Amino acid sequence: MAEQDLTRGPIGKTLFWFSLPVLGSNVLQSLNASINAMWIGHYLGESALTAASNANILLFFLLGVVFGISMANTILIGQSIGAKNTLLTRRIVGTSATFFVLMSTAVAVFGYVFTPELLNALGTPSDAREFAIAYLRIIFVALPVMYFYNFVMMSLRGAGDARTPFRFMLLSAGLDVALNPLFIFGWGPIPPFGIAGSAGATLIAQTVSLAVLMYTLYRRRDPLWLQRKDWKYLRIDVGLLRLLIVKGLPMGLQMVVISSSAMVMMGFVNGYGSQTTAAYGVASQLWTYVQMPALAIGAGVSSMTAQNVGAGLWDRVSKIGRVGVGLNFVMTGTLVVAILLFNRQFMNAFLPDDGHAISVAQHINAVVAWSFVLFGVTIVLFGVVRATGAVAAPLVILFVSQWVIRLPFAWQMQKSWGAEAIWWSFPLGFAVSLVMALAYYKWGNWRGARMLPKAGPPAVAQTEDAASAAAGPAPLPVPLATSVPTPSSDEPSGDRRP
């Protein structure tokens, strides 16, 4: 069994080793996308690359919506495992699995039929339209596999297993990278498919990896694997489904807030010409990797907190937050220092050394890079509070910092500061997010949020036989967070809240 009990052992060591495979998975995903873009851009031309970029914007939006539901599922699984309620874990897995299959199939059919209309709405350039239709339609065919693959990966992390998702991310990314040139250009009996071959490589890589992953879970009798006698849990539980949607949508909307504000910011940057846009684009590529440690630690904190909340170990929850913040300062801080020390060398990997753009990119990095440490602290705090079921506050904080503070500041201050207003809006937005997150973490009622029912013993390890002998089925989780008294700051260590 690869699942790990995150309610025991040293918090710092456990969190670090849990977050490391998550970080590796994030890096693999980014490298995979970058290499595929390289094949398309260098060998199929700018129109094909534009088509893939437009298709990937739609894909990012669709995956962003399902991300929230996946996170709600991860938190529920973590809390039920922390509560030692195996029957409830099976019910969560069964309802979530059926929901993801039905939802992804519906989205795939709709997207495949209306691909031209979706690209029209996105304003896809006419020279890229044919490429985009061919690419996106295969991506829609792959969507059910991609959704379900993501669901299984995040379920395993909720159960305390981050290594298995990393190993299979390595498999899928490796297959995708290897198959891209094979299907784009053809080889032997395989004809050249062009840009459709790139999407086909993704479809095959994800399908093979998911099939091997499911077989692995079956062979090791993983606790998340539903055996034949558990198939009755595949029937959708309306109470659980409502809970997944009510808690998942706010987390999915966080992705929408971030992506939409990024598009508006890109519009601001475009107004300063191609060299400034190129410099900003290169800096943004680097920031993708700078954010990864914080995102990995945030995911680890969320899984770890969920199990401890389920077990009622509130003293460990507070320590997890503190350790996560400290780990972010070490990992993100080290990366930021390295980038600032070797700023020009990093930029030179993407831009010519004698051009104006590289100097602009260096300046952007000097203004913005350090503030990702602040961003990391916010992500860690969000990871703690949302693991209890408090998901609305992080969404509100992100919206205020991005749309009420950062974008208006960049828009208004450009009149006197020019492009400097755009670069300084990043530290400003991150600082506002951090202050609001700290205030909510200290004084908010996130400790009173619940995703599992209060009733009944929190640590009953129910097997199928024990459940059938019990007086009726286990109670449904309540569809909304239940309010309980907020623990005071002087609460004694070792408290197990019912």
Side-chain angles (χ1 to χ4, degrees):
M1 184 177 73
E3 279 70 18
Q4 182 178 0
D5 185 353
L6 302 178
T7 64
R8 299 181 181 181
I11 291 174
K13 181 180 178 180
T14 303
L15 180 59
F16 175 78
W17 288 111
F18 184 88
S19 301
L20 211 55
V22 180
L23 175 60
S25 297
N26 292 342
V27 172
L28 284 172
Q29 281 184 309
S30 293
L31 288 176
N32 183 15
S34 298
I35 293 172
N36 290 353
M38 179 197 72
W39 284 115
I40 294 172
H42 279 283
Y43 297 100
L44 297 181
E46 293 179 357
S47 295
L49 184 59
T50 300
S53 299
N54 276 259
N56 286 332
I57 289 174
L58 284 172
L59 179 61
F60 177 79
F61 174 77
L62 293 171
L63 291 177
V65 173
V66 79
F67 166 81
I69 309 295
S70 298
M71 272 305 307
N73 169 72
T74 300
I75 293 167
L76 271 174
I77 288 176
Q79 289 193 9
S80 64
I81 285 179
K84 302 294 189 292
N85 193 334
T86 56
L87 175 59
L88 180 56
T89 303
R90 294 190 189 108
R91 293 165 63 201
I92 294 167
V93 170
T95 291
S96 299
T98 301
F99 172 73
F100 274 98
V101 168
L102 294 177
M103 180 180 67
S104 61
T105 302
V107 172
V109 171
F110 175 85
Y112 188 92
V113 172
F114 293 101
T115 293
E117 288 77 9
L118 290 171
L119 291 171
N120 285 341
L122 197 59
T124 304
S126 57
D127 62 327
R129 180 180 169 80
E130 185 179 346
F131 290 111
I133 290 175
Y135 183 87
L136 190 56
R137 277 192 161 149
I138 296 179
I139 290 296
F140 275 120
V141 172
L143 202 62
V145 173
M146 296 171 75
Y147 269 25
F148 198 78
Y149 193 34
N150 181 70
F151 154 69
V152 176
M153 295 286 221
M154 295 190 72
S155 296
L156 287 168
R157 288 174 184 164
D161 179 9
R163 294 181 182 179
T164 299
F166 170 71
R167 287 197 293 267
F168 281 91
M169 183 60 68
L170 186 62
L171 173 63
S172 62
L175 281 174
D176 200 350
V177 168
L179 292 176
N180 250 267
L182 180 65
F183 283 95
I184 289 175
F185 308 115
W187 183 72
I190 301 175
F193 291 102
I195 193 171
S198 180
T202 299
L203 169 61
I204 293 172
Q206 296 265 316
T207 302
V208 170
S209 299
L210 176 60
V212 178
L213 173 59
M214 298 302 288
Y215 180 72
T216 300
L217 298 181
Y218 163 75
R219 287 284 296 175
R220 76 185 189 194
R221 295 294 187 267
D222 194 276
L224 298 184
W225 177 262
L226 296 182
Q227 302 178 42
R228 186 181 295 272
K229 61 186 176 63
D230 300 319
W231 286 0
K232 59 180 176 287
Y233 299 124
L234 291 172
R235 184 175 59 186
I236 287 182
D237 184 315
V238 176
L240 280 173
L241 179 59
R242 183 184 176 196
L243 180 58
L244 285 170
I245 294 173
V246 168
K247 295 298 182 182
L249 281 181
M251 288 187 279
L253 287 173
Q254 291 179 37
M255 302 284 285
V256 175
V257 168
I258 293 171
S259 60
S260 59
S261 65
M263 287 189 287
V264 174
M265 191 65 70
M266 179 59 78
F268 292 161
V269 176
N270 285 337
Y272 290 91
S274 58
Q275 288 191 323
T276 300
T277 301
Y280 177 75
V282 168
S284 298
Q285 283 281 334
L286 200 59
W287 299 340
T288 300
Y289 294 93
V290 175
Q291 296 175 64
M292 285 183 182
L295 295 173
I297 296 166
V301 162
S302 199
S303 295
M304 201 169 183
T305 300
Q307 286 198 20
N308 283 273
V309 167
L313 299 174
W314 283 93
D315 59 319
R316 281 179 63 88
V317 169
S318 299
K319 292 176 183 176
I320 290 168
R322 292 195 298 271
V323 171
V325 168
L327 197 56
N328 166 71
F329 274 113
V330 173
M331 294 177 69
T332 305
T334 300
L335 197 54
V336 167
V337 169
I339 286 172
L340 293 179
L341 286 176
F342 302 98
N343 198 346
R344 192 172 188 88
Q345 288 86 339
F346 277 114
M347 295 299 100
N348 198 28
F350 301 94
L351 296 167
D353 191 55
D354 57 350
H356 175 64
I358 193 170
S359 299
V360 176
Q362 279 186 272
H363 176 68
I364 295 172
N365 247 349
V367 173
V368 177
W370 65 271
S371 64
F372 279 99
V373 176
L374 308 182
F375 165 83
V377 176
T378 302
I379 292 299
V380 171
L381 297 180
F382 281 176
V384 174
V385 301
R386 74 184 179 193
T388 68
V391 295
L395 174 61
V396 172
I397 291 171
L398 273 179
F399 179 81
V400 170
S401 63
Q402 296 291 312
W403 281 93
V404 178
I405 303 296
R406 180 183 162 200
L407 289 178
F409 173 86
W411 179 53
Q412 285 292 329
M413 295 305 294
Q414 283 182 79
K415 298 172 184 176
S416 55
W417 288 11
E420 284 297 301
I422 300 175
W423 319 143
W424 281 102
S425 72
F426 281 88
L428 175 63
F430 290 153
V432 170
S433 293
L434 176 57
V435 170
M436 295 177 69
L438 284 170
Y440 181 70
Y441 185 82
K442 183 171 179 61
W443 294 297
N445 193 33
W446 57 272
R447 295 171 185 83
R450 285 293 183 274
M451 292 181 76
L452 294 186
K454 292 191 299 179
V460 180
Q462 299 187 54
T463 62
E464 180 65 25
D465 295 336
S468 62
L476 280 176
V478 291
L480 295 173
T482 305
S483 178
V484 297
T486 304
S488 62
S489 59
D490 58 350
E491 191 167 51
S493 174
D495 171 57
R496 297 183 65 93
R497 189 165 303 281

